[in-house]
């Protein structure tokens, strides 16, 4: 009995907290590497190349790939589109972190359910019933989340926690207040653009999985596409040949850790917790990344915690949980309806539900 409780409650809780720490740590390590001079364009190329190399045996050892037909041109074309969206998303995201901080990235990442809901309405995959409480909650949560994003992006506010001796930071030129505000706003806009592309990424991913349900093979080709596309972009944006030389310091650690831990450990743990607890349970841990990012940023990067970040992150978290509450209530209502009319087939699968399940199964973009 105790063992069953441990497996169903304690282990998933500990695993999710650990994975949130790992994800934020990867962003913090990336920020530390860029402070030491690493180019984020070069980082994307090498990090995805590492993931592709590690996944190289996947198409040959995957049991599903043996029974599925060979990859056709239409499927490869969709994987190429997936890589284009993912490459654009990653470059925008890491550029945004470079301009701002991992804390802002963690805060704005909670906008994904809201953006997913908006896209679901646009693509007619989600219906809004004005009198339905769940629809009202999702609409209200979306508005609150977007409002919080504006706050955290456009308003820094006075400093709350000031770190004077960062462990991984380097000496940088002094910036004026207007310069800091401008960089923060640019970073926030780029991060927002990243998390607008994420739902589009999952729409294409779901379509690929329907016709070729072999996760490892698709992820391998996706990582390969992103690495090649990022290399093409990097050739034009990073003309300094020395930038492509990776020294055995924070840059190498960031690339290797992102390629391995971001692609394997994170995916495996989230898939396991999804199977045991479901997507709503997994999503509940997302705002935890804000607190972790703040702590790591202050301790290791010398980041200053501003009032705007705290207020905006709180508003976004409220909107996030409002959307998730509406989604959970909608699922309960659908279950009740299905029990009352078992002969009626429910062929409608909302995009928000698909997004949560697919995101945790296949990992970050």
């Amino acid at each position: 009995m105790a063992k069953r409780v441990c497996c169903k409650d304690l282990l998933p809780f500990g695993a999710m907290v650990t994975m949130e720490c790992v994800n934020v740590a990867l962003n913090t390590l990336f920020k530390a590497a860029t402070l030491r001079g690493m180019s984020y364009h070069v980082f994307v190329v090498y990090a995805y190349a590492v993931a592709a190399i590690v996944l190289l045996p996947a198409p040959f050892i995957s049991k599903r790939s043996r029974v599925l037909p060979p990859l056709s041109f239409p499927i490869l074309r969709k994987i190429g589109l997936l890589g284009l969206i993912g490459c654009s998303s990653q470059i925008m995201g890491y550029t945004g972190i470079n301009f701002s901080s991992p804390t802002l990235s963690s805060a704005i990442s909670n906008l994904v359910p809201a953006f997913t809901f908006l896209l679901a309405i646009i693509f007619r995959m989600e219906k809004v019933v004005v009198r339905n409480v769940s629809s009202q909650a999702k609409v209200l949560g979306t508005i609150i989340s977007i409002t919080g994003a504006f706050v955290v992006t456009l308003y820094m506010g006075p400093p709350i926690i000031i770190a004077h001796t960062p462990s991984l930071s380097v000496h940088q030129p002094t910036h004026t207040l207007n310069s800091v505000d401008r960089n923060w706003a640019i970073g926030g806009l780029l991060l927002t653009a990243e998390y607008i592309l994420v739902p589009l990424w999952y729409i294409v991913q779901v379509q690929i999985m329907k016709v070729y349900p072999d996760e490892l093979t698709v992820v391998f080709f996706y990582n390969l596409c992103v690495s090649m596309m990022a290399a093409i972009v990097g050739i034009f944006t990073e003309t300094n040949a020395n930038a492509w030389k990776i020294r055995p310091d924070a840059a190498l650690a960031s690339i290797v850790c992102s390629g391995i831990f971001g692609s394997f450990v994170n995916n495996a743990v989230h898939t396991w917790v999804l199977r045991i607890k479901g997507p709503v349970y997994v999503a509940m841990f997302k705002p935890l990344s804000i607190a972790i990012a703040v702590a790591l940023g202050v301790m290791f990067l010398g980041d200053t915690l501003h009032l705007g970040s705290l207020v905006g992150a709180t508003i976004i978290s409220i909107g996030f949980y409002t959307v998730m509450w509406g989604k959970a209530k909608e699922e309960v209502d659908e279950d009740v309806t299905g029990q009352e009319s078992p002969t009626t087939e429910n062929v409608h699968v909302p995009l928000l539900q698909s997004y949560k399940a697919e995101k945790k199964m296949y990992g970050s973009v």
Side-chain angles (χ1 to χ4, degrees):
M1 183 67 181
K3 184 178 180 180
R4 182 179 301 177
V5 172
C6 181
C7 291
K8 288 189 175 181
D9 295 318
L10 297 181
L11 286 181
F13 178 83
M16 287 305 304
V17 172
T18 302
M19 284 303 100
E20 288 301 324
C21 292
V22 169
N23 289 333
V24 176
L26 291 176
N27 283 341
T28 305
L29 187 58
F30 163 80
K31 179 69 175 182
T34 56
L35 288 175
R36 294 179 180 272
M38 184 186 70
S39 168
Y40 41 87
H41 294 287
V42 174
F43 170 82
V44 174
V45 176
Y46 287 155
Y48 276 86
V50 169
I53 292 173
V54 176
L55 283 166
L56 184 59
F60 306 101
I61 63 176
S62 174
K63 293 182 180 179
R64 289 187 180 181
S65 63
R66 298 174 186 174
V67 297
L68 289 172
L71 285 169
S72 61
F73 178 74
I75 297 176
L76 291 174
R77 185 175 57 191
K78 289 182 179 179
I79 295 177
L81 176 61
L82 192 72
L84 178 61
I85 297 173
C87 180
S88 303
S89 173
Q90 289 294 283
I91 290 177
M92 288 182 181
Y94 285 119
T95 307
I97 293 176
N98 189 47
F99 273 99
S100 54
S101 73
T103 303
L104 185 62
S105 177
S106 297
I108 296 182
S109 68
N110 291 315
L111 281 172
V112 170
F115 288 145
T116 306
F117 178 61
L118 290 176
L119 287 174
I121 296 175
I122 294 174
F123 287 98
R124 298 181 180 180
M125 296 179 177
E126 192 91 27
K127 293 182 179 179
V128 177
V129 181
V130 179
R131 296 182 179 179
N132 196 314
V133 177
S134 61
S135 294
Q136 293 174 357
K138 288 188 289 184
V139 171
L140 180 62
T142 299
I143 296 173
I144 293 174
S145 296
I146 294 176
T147 302
F150 277 110
V151 172
V152 80
T153 302
L154 302 177
Y155 172 68
M156 290 189 68
I160 299 176
I161 299 176
I162 302 177
H164 298 285
T165 56
S167 301
L168 294 177
S169 183
V170 295
H171 297 290
Q172 292 182 317
T174 303
H175 298 283
T176 64
L177 183 59
N178 290 334
S179 175
V180 174
D181 290 339
R182 184 169 59 252
N183 289 343
W184 189 267
I186 293 173
L189 292 175
L190 288 171
L191 290 168
T192 303
E194 176 196 8
Y195 291 113
I196 291 176
L197 288 176
V198 167
L200 291 176
W201 191 90
Y202 282 104
I203 291 174
V204 178
Q205 186 190 49
V206 169
Q207 297 302 316
I208 295 174
M209 288 294 107
K210 288 180 179 178
V211 295
Y212 199 84
D214 182 16
E215 296 86 356
L216 292 179
T217 302
V218 172
V219 171
F220 163 72
F221 282 105
Y222 163 73
N223 286 327
L224 188 62
C225 286
V226 173
S227 181
M228 291 190 297
M229 291 178 182
I232 294 174
V233 175
I235 291 175
F236 295 98
T237 58
E238 194 57 68
T239 56
N240 184 8
N242 292 326
W244 294 89
K245 299 177 182 179
I246 303 299
R247 296 185 296 272
D249 53 12
L252 180 61
S254 178
I255 290 171
V256 174
C257 290
S258 296
I260 296 177
F261 291 102
S263 298
F264 280 97
V265 179
N266 186 60
N267 292 351
V269 170
H270 278 88
T271 303
W272 174 67
V273 177
L274 261 178
R275 179 173 56 84
I276 296 177
K277 291 292 188 178
V280 176
Y281 180 87
V282 172
M284 288 174 58
F285 287 85
K286 194 60 185 173
L288 179 63
S289 63
I290 301 174
I292 300 171
V294 169
L296 294 180
V298 170
M299 288 188 297
F300 297 107
L301 298 178
D303 286 347
T304 299
L305 177 61
H306 294 270
L307 179 62
S309 297
L310 184 61
V311 174
T314 302
I315 296 174
I316 292 176
S317 298
I318 293 172
F320 173 86
Y321 282 124
T322 303
V323 173
M324 295 310 301
W325 181 87
K327 188 60 200 172
K329 181 172 178 54
E330 182 183 65
E331 292 174 354
V332 172
D333 293 340
E334 289 177 353
D335 290 340
V336 172
T337 303
Q339 292 176 0
E340 293 177 351
S341 55
T343 58
T344 303
E345 291 187 6
N346 183 15
V347 297
H348 174 69
V349 180
L351 177 60
L352 186 60
Q353 180 179 352
S354 300
Y355 155 72
K356 284 297 174 185
E358 295 292 337
K359 180 177 187 296
K360 301 308 179 184
M361 183 170 292
Y362 306 126
S364 302
V365 180

